[in-house]
Amino acid sequence: MIIEGTVPLTTVSESFVDTADIVIAVQQFKKLHPTARIDSIDGRLVRDLCEGCGTPVFEDTFGYAYNAESDTYLCPNCTLEKQS
């Protein structure tokens, strides 16, 4: 799994070949680059991370929720939990 992100004026890329869990890989990436915004994972564009669970919300993800006031996303699972 290759995660690419942007730190102001710098592009960073880390390979997490030993990690199959995407949330754990994202946590490891954020630990290494706390100010980086994640742009893509394995070539898939990322809108943002879910505010609830940290799962990436990809450009092609359906069923997510977006809060414009706080500029936050919820993945489909957290969106369903919030509705129930």
Side-chain angles (χ1 to χ4, degrees):
M1 180 176 316
I2 297 174
I3 299 178
E4 294 180 351
T6 306
V7 177
L9 304 175
T10 306
T11 299
V12 292
S13 180
E14 297 289 342
S15 179
F16 299 96
V17 295
D18 59 339
T19 305
D21 187 320
I22 197 166
V23 175
I24 291 172
V26 166
Q27 290 171 347
Q28 291 173 345
F29 180 85
K30 292 299 280 181
K31 186 175 181 179
L32 292 170
H33 309 285
T35 61
R37 172 173 166 68
I38 295 177
D39 298 323
S40 68
I41 298 175
D42 287 341
R44 292 177 65 195
L45 296 177
V46 176
R47 290 181 187 274
D48 208 343
L49 302 179
C50 174
E51 188 70 19
C53 67
T55 299
V57 177
F58 293 99
E59 288 287 323
D60 58 357
T61 299
F62 294 99
Y64 68 87
Y66 175 70
N67 183 326
E69 289 180 16
S70 60
D71 190 30
T72 57
Y73 290 83
L74 288 176
C75 70
N77 290 335
C78 289
T79 299
L80 289 175
E81 287 177 15
K82 187 176 180 181
Q83 292 174 351
S84 38

